[in-house]
Amino acid sequence: HFGSYSYEKKLVDQYETIKQFDKESAQRYTDRFTSLTDQLSIKQDDPLVIQHYLSGFSQLLVLTYSD
């Protein structure tokens, strides 16, 4: 039981802190985010989850596409 708890805690920590890495493609970031939400059984269409997803994008990407 401790193994599964520590693994789930690791996933939750990753989910809570996920950000797009420097030079990481938007697709790769999306794949990592989707993998975490799937493993944690988080509904991807929840507005708070969508907001969390969008907030993890690189500021450079956000600035590039907001103009």
Side-chain angles (χ1 to χ4, degrees), residues 38-52:
D38 286 347
Q39 291 179 75
L40 292 167
S41 299
I42 294 173
K43 295 176 101 179
Q44 295 171 2
D45 60 350
D46 181 293
L48 292 176
V49 175
I50 294 169
Q51 180 181 351
H52 183 62

Side-chain angles (χ1 to χ4, degrees), residues 24-49:
E24 180 179 37
S25 71
Q27 183 61 57
R28 178 67 184 122
Y29 167 71
T30 299
D31 291 345
R32 288 191 306 114
F33 189 91
T34 302
S35 175
L36 286 171
T37 56
D38 286 347
Q39 291 179 75
L40 292 167
S41 299
I42 294 173
K43 295 176 101 179
Q44 295 171 2
D45 60 350
D46 181 293
L48 292 176
V49 175

Side-chain angles (χ1 to χ4, degrees), residues 19-20 54-66:
K19 298 281 183 211
Q20 183 181 17
L54 293 174
S55 72
F57 273 108
S58 158
Q59 286 301 316
L60 179 60
L61 182 73
V62 171
L63 292 174
T64 301
Y65 288 99
S66 66

